[in-house]
Amino acid sequence: FAAGKVVAAVCHGNMALVHAKAPDGTPLVKGKKIACFTDVEEEQVGLATKVPFLLASKLKSLGAELDGSDPWSVKAVIDGKLVTGQNPQSSVSCAKLALAA
């Protein structure tokens, strides 16, 4: 990301962003628009009490600006070179944004 390359993640793949840091040491997601698997979606699949943390809540606590949609609907977001998708249904939209970035 710091080299100007596109970083893209969909659904739970956004967990990779939790420990990612900007060059200044701040969370990479701080101040960035992000779409990720929502807490509601996590509850609907019955995993809210089984995962180490709720992804949307965690990213928000790191300063991400969550841009989600209704559960199971397509939502992909681009913020500079960071491209994220909410759920598996968002994969194609996320890929198209990544190619265009």
Side-chain angles (χ1 to χ4, degrees), residues 17-95:
L17 301 174
V18 169
H19 295 291
K21 304 287 184 197
D24 65 1
T26 60
L28 181 66
V29 298
K30 185 176 182 181
K32 301 263 190 302
K33 285 187 179 179
I34 301 281
C36 68
F37 205 62
T38 66
D39 294 351
V40 171
E41 288 168 319
E42 203 75 73
E43 290 168 11
Q44 289 178 346
V45 295
L47 296 176
T49 60
K50 295 181 170 70
V51 293
F53 53 83
L54 295 175
L55 181 57
S57 292
K58 182 70 167 181
L59 290 172
K60 188 174 181 180
S61 76
L62 295 171
E65 296 176 16
L66 297 182
D67 188 359
S69 191
D70 292 333
W72 311 110
S73 60
V74 174
K75 182 66 176 187
V77 175
I78 186 167
D79 189 334
K81 294 289 184 178
L82 182 60
V83 182
T84 52
Q86 181 170 320
N87 50 40
Q89 291 84 336
S90 307
S91 298
V92 172
S93 295
C94 189

